[in-house]
Amino acid sequence: MADPDLKVITDGIRTDARMWDAQSTLLGGIHNTVEGLRMTRLEAGLFQVLLSAYTDAVNQISSRTSEGRDRTKEVADTLVVNARAYEDHEVDTTKSVEKAY
């Protein structure tokens, strides 16, 4: 029989993983929106003097949101792996204890 305390723990870990996944999705959406802000010299018109600084800002924001999206996804994936490892360890321990008696 599964340990109810372990289920509470692993369910909590999976809840956290879903939260990190949601943040990853949100950052991905921000990244896509920022990419849509890029403009050409023609589009900049009278503001071509500022285009270089504007492009640098878009590049930085795009890069950081892309990195954030990837890192938060990694956190979510790692949490799921850890929850699974807890459960697998519990099953293995239970089997070895049951066979000892």
Side-chain angles (χ1 to χ4, degrees):
M1 183 166 145
D3 181 0
D5 292 336
L6 180 66
K7 179 159 176 33
V8 169
I9 292 167
T10 55
D11 285 352
I13 292 172
R14 285 190 172 92
T15 298
D16 289 348
R18 284 190 296 276
M19 183 271 306
W20 282 99
D21 250 343
Q23 295 306 308
S24 178
T25 301
L26 180 65
L27 284 166
I30 294 169
H31 170 76
N32 293 337
T33 299
V34 169
E35 283 298 312
L37 296 175
R38 295 190 182 279
M39 68 172 79
T40 65
R41 288 217 172 269
L42 182 62
E43 292 169 325
L46 296 173
F47 300 100
Q48 289 185 27
V49 173
L50 303 174
L51 184 60
S52 179
Y54 178 82
T55 301
D56 289 346
V58 169
N59 288 341
Q60 280 296 321
I61 295 167
S62 176
S63 181
R64 297 297 70 82
T65 54
S66 175
E67 182 181 8
R69 176 199 61 213
D70 296 344
R71 297 299 86 80
T72 53
K73 180 67 174 143
E74 286 175 9
V75 170
D77 293 345
T78 300
L79 286 170
V80 170
V81 166
N82 282 314
R84 198 172 306 123
Y86 276 124
E87 291 167 344
D88 292 347
H89 180 70
E90 178 69 13
V91 168
D92 291 344
T93 302
T94 301
K95 285 180 184 177
S96 69
V97 169
E98 286 173 351
K99 291 179 182 177
Y101 295 99

